Amino acid sequence: MQKRTIVPIVYILFLMLPIYWLVAMSFKTTNEILAGFSLFPQTFTLENHQTIFTDPTWYWGYINSILYVTMNTVISVAVSLPAAYAFSRYRFLGDKQLFFWLLTNRMAPAAVFALPFFQLYSAVGLFDTHLAVALAHCLFNIPLAVWILEGFMRGIPKELDETAFVDGYSFPRFFATIFVPSIKAGVGVAVFFCFMFSWVEMLLAKTLTAVEAKPIAATMTKTASSAGYELGLLAAAGTLTIIPGAIVIWFVRNYIAKGFATGRV
C-alpha cells in the first residue's frame, strides 16, 4: 500500500475514533463505562436507546430541536436570498459598510445576546417557544448566509437577468424559476451552515427555553441522578444527535465541495 494511501486512511480512522467510542459507550451500562477500558461492550444493552425513545423528556428534546432548527434555516435562507441579490447586483451608498456590518454581527459570541434576548422575549411573550430560538439564531445565520449566497450570485452574469426581463419575466418569476436554481449549490451550502450552527448552539437555546421548547442539548446537561451521571444514556443521546447533521451533510455534500472550489466557503 502506497504512503499516499496510508496517510489518509490513518487520518480518517483518527477522526472516526471519537465517534466510534461514543457509539460503543451508548451500548454499555454506566457501571461498565466506569469500570475500565473496553474496546467493545462486554454487556450489550439497548436500555439507553430505549429510554430516549420512550421518555417524553428525551424524545421531545429532539423534536423541539428539529422544529426550531428547521424554522431558523427556512427563515434565514428566505431572508438572505433577496438581500444577497441586492448586494451582488446593485451599488448604493454605504453598501460595503452595510455588508461589513452584517458580518460583524456574526463575529460576536452568543453569550453577548443571551440576556437581551431573554428580557425581550419575556416581555413580548415569546419565551419558551420554538420561534424565539429560531429568531435568535437568525442574528448569526443571516449574515453568514448573505455572505455565502452573495459570492455565488456574483458569479452569475447580469446578462441572465436582462435576458429574462426582455423575455417578459416578472422579477418574482425570474428570481424563483431561473435565478435561484442557477445558484442551488450556494443555497445548499447556506442551508448546511445555517442548520449546523442552529443544531449545535446550546447557550441561546437553553437560555430562551424552559419546558415547552427545551432542546436536546439542554436535556443532555441534566443526566445526573443520585447514583451519579448516567454516562450510557448521555452517550446514546449524543449518538442520536449526530444523525440529523449526517443526513444534511449527505444531501448537500456536492454543494459544499463546490463552495470550497469557488473559494466562498
Side-chain angles (χ1 to χ4, degrees), residues 217-260:
T219 305
M220 290 175 64
T221 61
K222 298 181 178 181
T223 56
S225 64
S226 57
Y229 283 95
E230 301 176 29
L231 300 181
L233 184 59
L234 184 60
T239 301
L240 293 175
T241 58
I242 297 176
I243 297 176
I247 294 174
V248 173
I249 291 175
W250 173 261
F251 282 107
V252 302
R253 64 191 186 282
N254 295 329
Y255 299 150
I256 296 175
K258 187 173 181 179
F260 279 108

Coordinates of all heavy atoms in Angstrom, one line a residue, residues 217-260:
A217 N -30.0 19.5 23.5 CA -28.7 19.9 24.1 C -28.9 20.3 25.6 O -28.0 20.0 26.5 CB -28.1 21.1 23.4
A218 N -30.0 20.9 25.9 CA -30.3 21.3 27.3 C -30.6 20.1 28.2 O -30.2 20.0 29.3 CB -31.4 22.3 27.4
T219 N -31.3 19.1 27.5 CA -31.7 17.9 28.2 C -30.5 17.1 28.6 O -30.4 16.5 29.6 CB -32.7 17.1 27.4 OG1 -33.8 17.9 27.0 CG2 -33.1 15.8 28.1
M220 N -29.5 17.1 27.7 CA -28.3 16.3 27.9 C -27.4 16.8 29.0 O -26.6 16.0 29.6 CB -27.5 16.3 26.6 CG -28.1 15.5 25.5 SD -27.1 15.6 23.9 CE -25.6 14.8 24.4
T221 N -27.6 18.0 29.4 CA -26.8 18.6 30.5 C -27.4 18.2 31.9 O -26.8 18.5 32.9 CB -26.8 20.1 30.5 OG1 -28.1 20.6 30.5 CG2 -26.1 20.5 29.2
K222 N -28.6 17.5 31.9 CA -29.2 17.1 33.1 C -29.4 15.6 33.2 O -30.5 15.0 33.3 CB -30.6 17.8 33.2 CG -30.5 19.3 33.3 CD -31.9 19.9 33.4 CE -31.8 21.4 33.5 NZ -33.2 22.1 33.6
T223 N -28.3 14.9 33.2 CA -28.3 13.4 33.2 C -27.7 12.9 34.6 O -27.4 11.8 34.7 CB -27.4 12.8 32.1 OG1 -26.1 13.4 32.2 CG2 -28.0 13.1 30.7
A224 N -27.7 13.8 35.6 CA -27.2 13.4 36.9 C -28.3 12.8 37.7 O -29.5 13.3 37.6 CB -26.6 14.6 37.6
S225 N -28.0 11.8 38.5 CA -29.0 11.2 39.4 C -28.3 11.0 40.7 O -27.2 11.4 40.9 CB -29.5 9.8 38.8 OG -28.4 8.9 38.8
S226 N -29.0 10.4 41.6 CA -28.4 10.1 43.0 C -27.2 9.2 42.9 O -26.4 9.2 43.8 CB -29.5 9.5 43.9 OG -30.0 8.3 43.3
A227 N -27.2 8.4 41.8 CA -26.0 7.5 41.7 C -24.9 8.1 40.9 O -23.9 7.4 40.6 CB -26.5 6.2 41.0
G228 N -25.1 9.3 40.4 CA -24.0 9.9 39.6 C -24.5 10.2 38.2 O -25.7 10.1 37.9
Y229 N -23.6 10.5 37.3 CA -24.0 10.8 35.9 C -24.3 9.5 35.2 O -23.6 8.5 35.3 CB -22.9 11.5 35.2 CG -22.8 13.0 35.6 CD1 -21.9 13.4 36.5 CD2 -23.6 13.9 34.9 CE1 -21.9 14.7 36.9 CE2 -23.6 15.2 35.2 CZ -22.7 15.7 36.2 OH -22.6 17.0 36.6
E230 N -25.4 9.5 34.4 CA -25.8 8.3 33.6 C -25.1 8.4 32.3 O -25.6 8.9 31.2 CB -27.3 8.4 33.4 CG -28.1 8.3 34.7 CD -29.6 8.4 34.5 OE1 -30.1 8.0 33.4 OE2 -30.3 9.0 35.3
L231 N -23.9 7.9 32.2 CA -23.0 8.1 31.1 C -23.5 7.3 29.9 O -23.3 7.8 28.7 CB -21.6 7.6 31.5 CG -20.9 8.4 32.6 CD1 -19.5 7.8 32.9 CD2 -20.8 9.8 32.4
G232 N -24.0 6.1 30.1 CA -24.5 5.4 28.9 C -25.7 6.1 28.2 O -25.7 6.1 27.0
L233 N -26.6 6.7 29.0 CA -27.7 7.4 28.5 C -27.2 8.7 27.8 O -27.7 9.0 26.7 CB -28.6 7.8 29.6 CG -29.9 8.5 29.2 CD1 -30.8 7.6 28.3 CD2 -30.7 8.9 30.5
L234 N -26.2 9.3 28.3 CA -25.7 10.5 27.7 C -25.0 10.2 26.4 O -25.1 10.9 25.4 CB -24.7 11.2 28.6 CG -24.0 12.5 28.2 CD1 -25.1 13.6 28.0 CD2 -23.0 13.0 29.2
A235 N -24.3 9.0 26.3 CA -23.6 8.6 25.1 C -24.7 8.3 24.0 O -24.5 8.6 22.8 CB -22.7 7.4 25.4
A236 N -25.8 7.6 24.4 CA -26.8 7.3 23.5 C -27.5 8.6 22.9 O -27.7 8.6 21.7 CB -27.9 6.4 24.1
A237 N -27.7 9.5 23.8 CA -28.3 10.8 23.3 C -27.3 11.5 22.3 O -27.7 12.0 21.3 CB -28.6 11.7 24.5
G238 N -26.0 11.5 22.7 CA -25.0 12.1 21.8 C -24.9 11.4 20.5 O -24.8 12.1 19.4
T239 N -25.1 10.1 20.4 CA -25.0 9.3 19.2 C -26.2 9.7 18.3 O -26.0 9.9 17.1 CB -25.1 7.8 19.5 OG1 -24.0 7.4 20.3 CG2 -25.1 7.0 18.2
L240 N -27.4 9.9 18.9 CA -28.5 10.2 18.1 C -28.5 11.7 17.6 O -29.1 12.0 16.5 CB -29.8 10.0 18.9 CG -30.1 8.5 19.2 CD1 -31.3 8.4 20.2 CD2 -30.3 7.7 18.0
T241 N -27.8 12.6 18.3 CA -27.7 13.9 17.8 C -26.8 14.1 16.6 O -26.9 15.1 15.8 CB -27.1 14.9 18.9 OG1 -25.8 14.4 19.3 CG2 -28.0 14.9 20.1
I242 N -26.0 13.1 16.3 CA -25.1 13.1 15.1 C -25.9 12.8 13.8 O -25.6 13.3 12.8 CB -24.0 12.1 15.3 CG1 -23.1 12.4 16.5 CG2 -23.1 12.0 14.0 CD1 -22.0 11.4 16.7
I243 N -27.0 12.0 14.0 CA -27.7 11.6 12.8 C -28.3 12.7 11.9 O -28.1 12.7 10.7 CB -28.8 10.6 13.2 CG1 -28.2 9.3 13.9 CG2 -29.7 10.2 12.0 CD1 -29.2 8.3 14.4
P244 N -29.0 13.7 12.5 CA -29.6 14.8 11.6 C -28.5 15.5 10.9 O -28.7 15.8 9.7 CB -30.3 15.7 12.6 CG -30.6 14.8 13.8 CD -29.5 13.9 13.9
G245 N -27.4 15.8 11.5 CA -26.3 16.5 10.8 C -25.7 15.7 9.7 O -25.4 16.2 8.7
A246 N -25.6 14.4 10.0 CA -25.0 13.5 9.0 C -26.0 13.4 7.7 O -25.5 13.3 6.6 CB -24.8 12.1 9.5
I247 N -27.3 13.4 8.0 CA -28.3 13.4 6.9 C -28.1 14.7 6.0 O -28.1 14.6 4.8 CB -29.7 13.2 7.4 CG1 -29.8 11.8 8.1 CG2 -30.7 13.4 6.3 CD1 -31.2 11.7 8.8
V248 N -28.0 15.8 6.7 CA -27.9 17.1 6.0 C -26.6 17.1 5.2 O -26.6 17.5 4.0 CB -28.0 18.3 6.9 CG1 -27.7 19.6 6.2 CG2 -29.3 18.4 7.6
I249 N -25.5 16.6 5.7 CA -24.3 16.6 5.0 C -24.4 15.7 3.8 O -23.8 16.0 2.7 CB -23.1 16.1 6.0 CG1 -22.9 17.2 7.0 CG2 -21.9 15.8 5.2 CD1 -21.9 16.7 8.1
W250 N -25.1 14.6 3.9 CA -25.2 13.7 2.8 C -25.9 14.3 1.6 O -25.5 14.1 0.5 CB -26.0 12.4 3.2 CG -26.3 11.5 2.1 CD1 -27.4 11.4 1.4 CD2 -25.4 10.5 1.5 NE1 -27.4 10.4 0.4 CE2 -26.1 9.9 0.5 CE3 -24.1 10.2 1.8 CZ2 -25.5 8.9 -0.3 CZ3 -23.5 9.2 1.0 CH2 -24.2 8.5 0.0
F251 N -26.9 15.1 1.9 CA -27.7 15.7 0.8 C -27.0 16.9 0.2 O -27.2 17.2 -1.0 CB -29.1 16.1 1.3 CG -30.0 15.0 1.4 CD1 -30.4 14.5 2.6 CD2 -30.6 14.4 0.3 CE1 -31.3 13.4 2.8 CE2 -31.4 13.3 0.4 CZ -31.8 12.8 1.6
V252 N -26.1 17.6 0.9 CA -25.5 18.8 0.4 C -24.0 18.6 0.2 O -23.3 19.6 0.0 CB -25.8 20.0 1.3 CG1 -27.3 20.3 1.5 CG2 -25.1 19.8 2.7
R253 N -23.5 17.4 0.3 CA -22.1 17.2 0.2 C -21.4 17.7 -1.1 O -20.3 18.3 -1.1 CB -21.8 15.7 0.4 CG -22.3 14.8 -0.7 CD -22.2 13.3 -0.4 NE -22.6 12.5 -1.5 CZ -23.8 12.2 -1.8 NH1 -24.8 12.8 -1.1 NH2 -24.1 11.4 -2.8
N254 N -22.1 17.5 -2.2 CA -21.6 18.0 -3.5 C -21.6 19.5 -3.6 O -20.7 20.2 -4.1 CB -22.4 17.5 -4.7 CG -22.3 15.9 -4.8 OD1 -21.2 15.4 -4.4 ND2 -23.3 15.3 -5.2
Y255 N -22.6 20.2 -3.0 CA -22.7 21.6 -2.9 C -21.6 22.2 -2.1 O -21.0 23.3 -2.4 CB -24.0 22.1 -2.4 CG -25.2 21.6 -3.3 CD1 -26.5 21.4 -2.7 CD2 -25.1 21.4 -4.6 CE1 -27.5 21.0 -3.5 CE2 -26.1 21.0 -5.4 CZ -27.4 20.8 -4.9 OH -28.4 20.4 -5.6
I256 N -21.3 21.5 -1.0 CA -20.2 22.0 -0.1 C -18.9 22.0 -0.8 O -18.1 22.9 -0.7 CB -20.2 21.2 1.2 CG1 -21.4 21.4 2.0 CG2 -19.0 21.6 2.1 CD1 -21.5 20.5 3.2
A257 N -18.6 20.9 -1.6 CA -17.4 20.8 -2.3 C -17.3 21.9 -3.3 O -16.2 22.5 -3.5 CB -17.4 19.4 -3.0
K258 N -18.4 22.2 -4.0 CA -18.4 23.3 -5.0 C -18.1 24.6 -4.3 O -17.5 25.5 -4.8 CB -19.7 23.4 -5.7 CG -19.7 24.4 -6.9 CD -21.0 24.3 -7.7 CE -20.9 25.2 -8.9 NZ -22.1 25.1 -9.7
G259 N -18.7 24.8 -3.1 CA -18.4 26.0 -2.3 C -17.0 26.2 -2.0 O -16.4 27.3 -2.1
F260 N -16.3 25.1 -1.6 CA -14.9 25.2 -1.3 C -14.1 25.5 -2.6 O -13.1 26.3 -2.6 CB -14.4 23.9 -0.7 CG -14.6 23.8 0.8 CD1 -15.6 23.0 1.3 CD2 -13.9 24.6 1.6 CE1 -15.8 22.9 2.6 CE2 -14.1 24.5 3.0 CZ -15.0 23.7 3.5

